[in-house]
């Protein structure tokens, strides 16, 4: 492990932390354009974070230590996930710590902690949000696992760097199963990141909210960390998607000079710009589902992923 | 002589007499139990002397088990001067037994320490008698693991069932508990009968009942299948595989909490042990459909247990259903191992078997921890119903913190131990496309999805369990007086929690232990060459995981973030009332109840349940909402069998007229029939 790889590792993590709010701001901006509203400036999320960090925390009298620790744990897991996902380069010393399945586990840890924190104050909305979020979570996980199965069948590995290297080695070989898997992954991404059609990040309408209901009791620096980690989560999911389906441009083994890294960063930014615009388009075109419809939506994602798997097995056999 | 040299020589000497030492420790348990009868009503003597000594014996058993595993030498056999004249007891210690002894000792030490603080005088069985039953139970489980002939095995197997029956019914004045005990005894005996028959088939017509002879017996495929199926039913009934699970959610909650922990954490594992012993050691052939059968039963049990756990409102019943789920996960691993082994893929079989073994170990730790935590809650509040708890994290910080570790571990979250075994199991699912059956190849990935659903559902259940008991506001005003556990209970809980963390952070240790077993049973181990903080079961390019670095990473980032926030911003806090969208009037009744948390599951998995709902009419002045949820299998499977048995008994009852003349007529008719037969 040379000093260069460590520098590259830290650089990637800092890049993720820095541009995750920007990505969220970009989606908000695209949404505003599509809905012909005046868009907030691109740096609005950073202003928000600054404001929140300056305020005093208003903490419920009966909040326990678990409630106060959770924002830090959320931020920690999401930063760690960013260190593991090969968003710029594959030759990362941290990437071997967890494969894609362990990455799902890491996200699940964050979800469980946030749900427990939401139940800690003992308000009606907090526990309702926790219950709903855990429900979405347990429905989304099987679908996500099927997507990863697909990637494993194609590359023989669940470690994301190996997946990227396998698919960049044969850039022209596109398996039809990937199309199904990509659609399924997109559906899971929307559900897991509390976006339309499962949840609306812009609403505080009491009876329909999920993520917002859970973070209702957080304020100031705690809220800032929670928001920042949701932005990081969306960024991480997008990068997992790029690694699985659009790995072009990521600096692989051997090609780790400054030039390749520069290309990789530019490729990442381009992909994020396009993906953000696409997400905003999807969100503007679709309506929020009733909570009872969420199982059907996620079952659909699951079936698509299974279909991809079957297509691969049938064509491969 | 240097210290290392001295230690290694000492270890070698110890491992040579491993089996006799274990047997002496087991004898120690029996002596401790008998000592309880000296002063059966003196709680202080029983609790503060005998139970801590029992815990030390358990540590010794775990230590010897670990030495036998590390030694990895050929099995030790001992002929005991006990039993019938022509049927002496055989004992044997190989790596499989050693692994389960390690499990028994590790969890047993924590449970016994906790029990020292837990048992108090009260109604029900006297403490001294309880101590006897408790230690006989522990000793019989150890002997089940060591037994090397069918006769000895059945004797200790029955001792185990009976001693645990007496422990379950220690509060025998309550009718529900007597009923639960009866159901348990009945199912235990049906299971034992099947195991006995399985041994009968395994001896293969040579009438030799030592396991050694059974290993040598050559069975036709039909009889091998029969022996396997009988063993599956017998051990499945003990383990709580669906549909043989009905006793489990009744019996486990009825027992005192340390006994529930012993039953869920350890006794179920003896069934896993028996299943592995027969399938991988005694039977010399395996067929792929056995694997599919066990895999299917395991997956169904896992999903079934998780779904039913999600709708429970009693905290101990919830944990009992979660045990069914975990047993399902263990049997899923065993099924995959059989399937791979039968298809000639020993490396992947070793991977699946490793996952099953490590999950057994993990489950014994975290399930014991959680059952014991419910015991502390029960002592502090006298409540078992989730609807009357809440907010205990503020009254019982020790129990709440340690239970949080158990909750995260059982929910399968990294970097704790539950995740390690589930990760290994999912990894082994990934290799199913190597199986040379095209149809199976397409179906089995769905099994992995089912497993993922179960694991995620388990996280849901555990958020419900922890959140409703420990978080939120007190649902009853009396909870303000709840007190934390005493120091012996804390030590017991902390021991188990440390075990959960240790295996999660250093999974390589567990992998090595399981590797010794798979080496004996399959002649193959997964890749064990990575350093202790790292696992890469097949190849590091394929998949790797490191709990230690993950934990260090999270702790590091959390620490840096905390310091940065304090330095760059500030640490000011203002305590206020909760916000909750500005609703001014908040009561504890507005939180989600246990029923509320179960509602989405009832909605989604409706066909699994039989529900009876009573809704209030709009005009009711005192409205009541009631819902009763039942297991469908109870009505579909068990009640018809019970009715059939009843009818058969009624018919046979016709013979018993109660009049002497009719009985004489029977004798007369029998005589005539015999005469006709003879002549």
């Amino acid at each position: 492990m040379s000093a260069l790889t460590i520098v590259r590792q830290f650089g990637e993590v800092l890049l993720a932390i820095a541009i995750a709010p920007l990505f969220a701001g970009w989606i908000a901006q695209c949404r505003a354009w599509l809905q012909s509203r005046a868009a907030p400036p691109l740096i609005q999320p950073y202003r928000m974070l600054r404001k929140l960090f300056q305020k005093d925390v208003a903490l419920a009298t009966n909040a326990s230590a678990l409630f106060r620790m959770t924002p830090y744990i959320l931020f920690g897991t999401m930063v760690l996930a960013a260190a593991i996902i090969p968003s710029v380069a594959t030759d990362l010393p941290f990437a071997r710590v967890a494969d894609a399945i362990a990455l799902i586990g890491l996200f699940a840890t964050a979800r469980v902690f946030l749900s427990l924190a939401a139940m800690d104050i003992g308000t009606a909305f907090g526990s309702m949000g926790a219950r709903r979020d855990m429900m979405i979570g347990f429905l989304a996980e099987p679908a996500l696992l099927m997507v990863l199965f697909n990637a494993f069948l194609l590359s023989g590995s669940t470690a994301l760097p190996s997946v990227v290297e396998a698919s960049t080695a044969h850039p022209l070989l596109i398996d039809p199963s990937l199309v199904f898997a990509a659609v399924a992954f997109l559906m899971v991404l929307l559900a897991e990141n509390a976006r339309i059609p499962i949840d609306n990040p812009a609403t505080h309408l009491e009876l329909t909210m999920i993520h917002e209901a859970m973070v209702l009791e957080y304020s100031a620096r705690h809220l800032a960390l929670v928001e920042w980690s949701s932005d990081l989560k969306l960024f991480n999911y997008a990068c997992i998607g790029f690694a699985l389906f659009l790995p072009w441009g990521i600096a692989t083994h051997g090609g780790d000079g400054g030039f390749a890294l520069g290309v990789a960063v530019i490729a990442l930014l381009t992909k994020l710009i396009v993906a953000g615009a696409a997400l905003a388009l999807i969100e503007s075109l679709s309506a929020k589902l009733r909570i009872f419809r969420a199982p059907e939506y996620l079952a659909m994602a699951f079936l698509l992923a299974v279909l991809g798997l079957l297509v691969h097995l049938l064509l491969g056999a | 002589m240097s210290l290392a040299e001295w230690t290694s020589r000492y270890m070698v000497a110890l491992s040579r007499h491993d089996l006799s030492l274990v047997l002496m420790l087991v004898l120690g348990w029996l002596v401790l139990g008998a000592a309880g009868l000296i002063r059966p009503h003196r709680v202080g003597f029983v609790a503060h002397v005998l139970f801590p000594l029992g815990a030390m014996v358990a540590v010794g058993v775990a230590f010897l088990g670990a030495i036998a595993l590390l030694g990895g030498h050929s099995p030790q056999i001992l002929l005991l001067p006990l039993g019938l004249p022509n049927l002496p007891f055989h004992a044997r210690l190989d790596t499989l037994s050693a692994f389960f002894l390690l499990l028994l000792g590790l969890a047993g030490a924590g449970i016994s320490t906790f029990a020292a603080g837990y048992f108090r005088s009260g109604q029900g069985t006297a403490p001294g008698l309880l101590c006897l039953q408790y230690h006989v139970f522990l000793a019989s489980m150890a002997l089940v693991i060591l037994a090397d002939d069918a006769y000895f095995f059945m004797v200790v197997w029955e001792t185990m069932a009976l001693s645990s029956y007496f422990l379950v019914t220690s509060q025998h004045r309550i009718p529900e508990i007597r009923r639960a005990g009866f159901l348990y005894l009945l199912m235990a005996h049906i299971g034992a009968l099947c195991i006995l028959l399985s041994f009968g088939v395994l001896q293969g017509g040579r009438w030799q009942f030592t396991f050694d002879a059974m290993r040598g017996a050559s069975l036709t495929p039909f009889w091998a299948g029969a022996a396997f199926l009988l063993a599956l039913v017998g051990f499945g009934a003990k383990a709580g595989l669906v549909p043989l699970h009905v006793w489990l959610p009744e019996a486990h909650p009825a027992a005192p909490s340390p006994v529930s922990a012993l039953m869920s954490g350890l006794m179920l594992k003896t069934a896993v042990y028996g299943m592995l012993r027969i399938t991988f050691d005694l039977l010399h052939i395996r067929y792929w459909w056995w694997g599919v059968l066990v895999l299917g039963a395991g997956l169904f049990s896992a999903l079934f247990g998780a779904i039913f756990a999600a709708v429970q409102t009693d905290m101990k019943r919830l944990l009992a259903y979660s045990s069914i789920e975990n047993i399902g996960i263990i049997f899923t691993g065993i099924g995959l191992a059989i399937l791979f082994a039968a298809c000639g893929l020993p490396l992947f079989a070793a991977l699946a078997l490793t996952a099953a073994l490590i999950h057994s170990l993990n489950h014994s730790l975290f399930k014991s921890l959680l059952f014991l935590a419910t015991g502390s809650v029960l002592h502090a509040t006298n409540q078992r119903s989730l609807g009357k708890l809440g907010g205990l994290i503020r009254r019982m910080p020790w129990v709440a913190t340690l239970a949080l570790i158990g909750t995260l571990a059982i929910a399968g979250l990294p970097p704790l131990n539950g995740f390690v075994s589930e990760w290994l199991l999912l990894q082994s699912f990934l290799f199913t496309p190597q199986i040379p059956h095209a149809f199976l190849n397409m179906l089995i990935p769905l099994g992995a999805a089912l497993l993922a659903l179960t694991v995620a559902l388990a996280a849901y259940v555990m958020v419900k369990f922890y959140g409703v008991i420990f978080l939120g506001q007190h649902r009853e005003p009396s909870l303000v007086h709840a007190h934390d556990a005493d120091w012996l209970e804390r030590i017991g809980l902390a021991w188990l929690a440390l075990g959960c963390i240790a295996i999660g952070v250093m999974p390589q240790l567990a992998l090595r232990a399981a590797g010794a077993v798979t080496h004996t049973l399959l002649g193959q181990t997964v890749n064990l060459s990575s350093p202790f903080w790292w696992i890469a079961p097949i190849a590091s390019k394929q998949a790797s995981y490191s709990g230690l670095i993950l934990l260090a990473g999270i702790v590091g980032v959390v620490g840096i973030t905390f310091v940065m926030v304090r330095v760059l911003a500030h640490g000011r806090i203002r305590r206020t009332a909760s916000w909750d969208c500005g609703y001014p009037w908040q009561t504890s009744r507005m939180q989600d109840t246990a029923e509320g948390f179960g509602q989405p599951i009832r909605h989604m998995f409706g066909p699994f349940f039989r529900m009876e709902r009573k809704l209030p009419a709009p005009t009711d002045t005192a409205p009541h909402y009631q819902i009763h949820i039942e297991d469908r299998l109870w009505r579909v499977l068990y009640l018809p069998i019970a009715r059939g048995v009843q009818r058969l008994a009624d018919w046979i009852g016709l013979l018993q007229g109660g009049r002497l003349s009719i009985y004489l007529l029977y004798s007369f008719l029998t005589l005539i029939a015999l005469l006709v037969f003879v002549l």
Side-chain angles (χ1 to χ4, degrees):
Chain A
M1 199 188 303
S2 66
L4 192 67
T5 48
I6 295 176
V7 169
R8 198 186 305 141
Q9 174 78 72
F10 274 100
E12 201 207 60
V13 172
L14 291 179
L15 181 75
I17 296 174
I19 65 173
L22 195 66
F23 183 51
W26 166 245
I27 296 176
Q29 191 160 46
C30 289
R31 258 168 65 135
W33 285 337
L34 285 166
Q35 295 161 358
S36 52
R37 288 188 282 124
L42 209 53
I43 56 161
Q44 184 63 26
Y46 297 105
R47 288 182 181 167
M48 196 74 178
L49 289 177
R50 209 182 107 216
K51 182 186 80 180
L52 287 174
F53 273 118
Q54 280 169 353
K55 290 197 164 204
D56 283 12
V57 171
L59 194 67
T61 36
N62 62 346
S64 71
L66 180 69
F67 185 81
R68 295 169 62 179
M69 268 160 49
T70 297
Y72 296 97
I73 294 175
L74 283 185
F75 193 72
T77 49
M78 288 308 150
V79 169
L80 204 64
I84 292 164
I85 300 166
S87 53
V88 177
T90 58
D91 187 18
L92 301 170
F94 240 87
R96 278 186 58 203
V97 170
D99 69 338
I101 297 176
L103 212 54
I104 301 182
L106 206 57
F107 286 125
T109 309
R111 183 170 57 229
V112 165
F113 266 101
L114 187 58
S115 301
L116 288 177
M119 296 180 78
D120 184 52
I121 309 287
T123 58
F125 288 126
S127 45
M128 182 196 73
R131 160 161 56 100
R132 289 182 174 172
D133 193 55
M134 289 306 293
M135 184 187 85
I136 302 294
F138 86 71
L139 290 168
E141 260 178 39
L144 195 53
L145 192 79
M146 284 295 101
V147 173
L148 293 177
F149 241 85
N150 218 322
F152 176 82
L153 286 184
L154 289 174
S155 64
S157 169
T158 52
L160 284 175
S162 307
V163 174
V164 171
E165 283 179 9
S167 51
T168 43
H170 315 280
L172 292 177
L173 203 72
I174 297 177
D175 197 276
S177 66
L178 275 181
V179 179
F180 291 98
V183 176
F185 180 80
L186 186 65
M187 292 174 80
V188 170
L189 180 146
L190 291 173
E192 284 270 31
N193 287 286
R195 316 217 53 107
I196 289 176
I198 296 294
D199 190 8
N200 188 347
T203 186
H204 274 155
L205 191 62
E206 286 92 350
L207 290 178
T208 62
M209 57 188 178
I210 300 176
H211 179 77
E212 292 301 322
M214 289 201 293
V215 304
L216 215 49
E217 300 300 324
Y218 277 116
S219 56
R221 60 173 183 276
H222 293 157
L223 183 61
L225 284 173
V226 170
E227 293 292 334
W228 205 340
S229 28
S230 329
D231 294 346
L232 264 170
K233 186 177 177 190
L234 182 61
F235 176 83
N236 283 336
Y237 260 88
C239 287
I240 294 177
F242 299 151
L244 291 178
F245 306 110
L246 305 165
W248 305 298
I250 297 175
T252 50
H253 242 62
D256 50 1
F259 176 70
L261 282 182
V263 169
V265 171
I266 291 169
L268 176 67
L269 291 177
T270 320
K271 282 185 257 182
L272 282 175
I273 289 170
V274 175
L279 276 182
L281 185 65
I282 293 171
E283 285 202 281
S284 300
L285 288 178
S286 50
K288 189 184 163 307
L289 291 172
R290 284 176 68 207
I291 190 84
F292 295 124
R293 296 268 168 209
E296 291 169 25
Y297 170 86
L298 288 162
M300 170 107 154
F302 174 72
L303 285 180
L304 277 173
V306 170
L307 211 60
L309 209 64
L310 290 182
V311 164
H312 177 83
L313 287 172
L314 283 177
L315 289 184
Chain B
M1 200 189 321
S2 74
L3 186 68
E5 209 176 306
W6 184 80
T7 327
S8 72
R9 189 171 299 181
Y10 178 69
M11 290 289 204
V12 168
L14 211 56
S15 68
R16 204 168 294 146
H17 303 288
D18 226 354
L19 179 55
S20 7
L21 286 170
V22 173
L23 287 171
M24 266 152 72
L25 287 180
V26 171
L27 192 67
W29 265 331
L30 293 174
V31 170
L32 284 176
L37 294 179
I38 301 172
R39 290 266 184 81
H41 291 281
R42 277 280 301 279
V43 181
F45 169 65
V46 170
H48 292 125
V49 178
L50 297 183
F51 274 104
L53 283 176
M56 282 174 202
V57 173
V59 174
V61 168
F63 180 66
L64 290 176
I67 286 182
L69 268 180
L70 286 180
H73 45 69
S74 55
Q76 299 174 28
I77 301 170
L78 215 61
L79 203 67
L80 303 185
L82 293 167
L84 295 176
N86 290 326
L87 277 172
F89 287 163
H90 298 72
R92 184 168 181 270
L93 180 66
D94 63 356
T95 48
L96 180 62
S97 324
F99 184 86
F100 280 87
L101 277 182
L102 176 68
L103 181 157
L104 179 76
L106 280 182
I111 298 170
S112 289
T113 315
F114 181 91
Y118 183 85
F119 284 123
R120 290 155 208 196
S121 59
Q123 74 274 46
T125 311
L129 204 55
L130 216 56
C131 170
L132 175 67
Q133 294 160 356
Y134 181 94
H135 285 107
V136 169
F137 186 33
L138 269 179
S140 58
M141 284 194 282
L143 290 177
V144 161
I145 293 167
L146 292 172
D148 195 36
D149 62 276
Y151 173 50
F152 189 25
F153 187 92
M154 290 315 295
V155 168
V156 284
W157 185 262
E158 286 295 287
T159 313
M160 182 177 85
L162 284 178
S163 54
S164 56
Y165 165 77
F166 286 117
L167 285 166
V168 166
T169 52
S170 69
Q171 300 275 335
H172 50 81
R173 287 183 216 291
I174 303 170
E176 286 92 54
I177 289 186
R178 283 204 301 273
R179 186 176 160 272
F182 173 73
L183 186 63
Y184 169 50
L185 204 60
L186 185 71
M187 290 303 287
H189 279 93
I190 292 173
L193 205 64
C194 290
I195 297 170
L196 191 65
L197 289 176
S198 172
F199 283 135
V201 175
L202 276 170
Q203 51 83 23
R206 298 201 292 180
W207 304 106
Q208 290 276 315
F209 286 96
T210 60
F211 286 173
D212 220 27
M214 291 182 191
R215 271 179 211 109
S218 57
L219 299 175
T220 59
F222 174 79
W223 286 113
F228 171 78
L229 286 179
L230 284 167
L232 181 61
V233 172
F235 290 116
K238 194 57 148 189
L241 273 190
V242 180
L244 301 165
H245 65 287
V246 281
W247 62 274
L248 202 151
E250 306 295 328
H252 285 207
S257 290
V259 178
S260 311
L262 277 190
M263 289 176 74
S264 255
L266 300 178
M267 191 185 73
L268 301 185
K269 305 305 169 330
T270 61
V272 173
Y273 163 80
M275 196 66 212
L276 291 177
R277 175 64 76 195
I278 288 195
T279 322
F280 286 99
D281 190 18
L282 301 188
L283 283 166
H284 55 100
I285 36 171
R286 284 170 285 277
Y287 296 97
W288 64 268
W289 62 267
W290 299 3
V292 175
L293 195 68
V294 176
L295 181 66
L299 281 172
F300 186 71
S301 300
L303 186 63
F304 183 94
I307 290 174
F308 269 81
V311 298
Q312 297 307 313
T313 54
D314 175 317
M315 57 180 177
K316 289 181 81 176
R317 271 180 85 90
L318 183 147
L319 289 181
Y321 274 111
S322 149
S323 286
I324 297 180
E325 176 226 320
N326 281 287
I327 283 293
I329 293 177
I330 294 169
F331 272 77
T332 303
I334 296 176
L336 267 186
I338 298 175
L339 189 58
F340 280 130
C343 293
L345 299 163
L347 177 61
F348 305 142
L351 179 61
L353 194 60
T354 303
L357 286 168
I358 297 182
H359 200 73
S360 303
L361 180 59
N362 290 342
H363 182 242
S364 74
L365 293 171
F366 50 59
K367 186 50 65 66
S368 308
L369 173 57
L370 291 178
F371 259 122
L372 297 180
T374 63
S376 292
V377 170
L378 203 60
H379 260 329
T381 63
N382 285 322
Q383 289 292 352
R384 264 174 60 178
S385 165
L386 289 169
K388 294 185 174 165
L389 293 164
L392 291 178
I393 193 171
R394 285 175 278 282
R395 306 284 157 205
M396 314 175 70
W398 274 92
V399 177
T401 311
L402 295 169
L404 180 64
I405 295 173
T407 305
L408 297 176
I410 199 171
L413 299 175
L416 291 170
N417 62 348
F419 177 74
V420 174
S421 43
E422 279 158 13
W423 184 78
L424 287 169
L425 194 53
L426 284 171
Q427 289 293 336
S428 48
F429 261 111
L430 288 172
F431 295 102
T432 47
Q434 309 258 345
I435 294 171
H437 295 271
F439 186 61
L440 281 181
N441 283 346
M442 302 214 177
L443 278 183
I444 291 181
L446 294 184
L450 216 56
L451 183 70
L453 179 68
T454 308
V455 171
L457 202 54
Y460 182 94
V461 172
M462 282 302 135
V463 165
K464 166 182 168 169
F465 172 81
Y466 192 82
V468 174
I469 295 178
F470 292 105
L471 303 177
Q473 306 175 38
H474 301 311
R475 289 188 175 76
E476 293 283 316
S478 63
L479 296 182
V480 179
H481 306 299
H483 54 85
D484 212 341
D486 74 9
W487 62 277
L488 275 170
E489 294 183 341
R490 283 181 208 170
I491 293 176
L493 291 172
W495 170 268
L496 295 167
L498 272 181
C500 290
I501 296 173
I503 296 177
V505 171
M506 288 180 287
Q508 185 70 4
L509 295 180
L511 215 63
R512 292 235 166 104
V517 181
T518 57
H519 185 72
T520 314
L521 297 185
L522 298 163
Q524 179 85 40
T525 59
V526 294
N527 171 29
L528 300 174
S529 58
S530 21
F532 73 92
W533 62 84
W534 202 269
I535 52 172
I538 300 298
S540 71
K541 193 147 182 60
Q542 188 265 320
S544 55
Y545 168 71
S546 166
L548 187 65
I549 300 181
L550 209 62
L551 183 65
I554 293 177
V555 170
V557 176
V558 167
I560 293 171
T561 316
F562 186 77
V563 172
M564 293 276 271
V565 168
R566 282 296 151 95
V567 169
L568 296 179
H570 57 87
R572 290 192 295 272
I573 277 186
R574 202 154 41 82
R575 290 277 183 172
T576 58
S578 59
W579 158 238
D580 202 38
C581 274
Y583 285 83
W585 191 64
Q586 285 279 324
T587 73
S588 65
R589 314 288 287 177
M590 292 180 182
Q591 306 171 83
D592 251 20
T593 55
E595 286 89 350
F597 236 87
Q599 190 269 340
I601 309 294
R602 287 204 305 271
H603 194 83
M604 266 181 261
F605 298 98
F608 275 81
F609 311 111
R610 221 185 70 83
M611 279 189 276
E612 274 170 28
R613 243 186 285 224
K614 265 192 215 142
L615 295 174
T619 50
D620 272 353
T621 45
H624 270 282
Y625 173 80
Q626 210 175 22
I627 184 159
H628 181 71
I629 298 173
E630 224 181 38
D631 192 342
R632 262 182 200 286
L633 284 167
W634 186 250
R635 267 168 204 270
V636 175
L637 190 65
Y638 283 86
L639 285 187
I641 292 177
R643 263 186 239 122
V645 170
Q646 182 73 43
R647 204 166 300 148
L648 202 66
D650 286 345
W651 284 339
I652 292 172
L654 290 179
L655 290 176
Q656 287 180 314
R659 285 174 61 178
L660 202 60
S661 51
I662 295 185
Y663 291 160
L664 285 174
L665 183 68
Y666 291 155
S667 310
F668 179 67
L669 287 177
T670 315
L671 266 178
I672 294 212
L674 284 177
L675 277 175
V676 168
F677 184 69
V678 170
L679 296 173

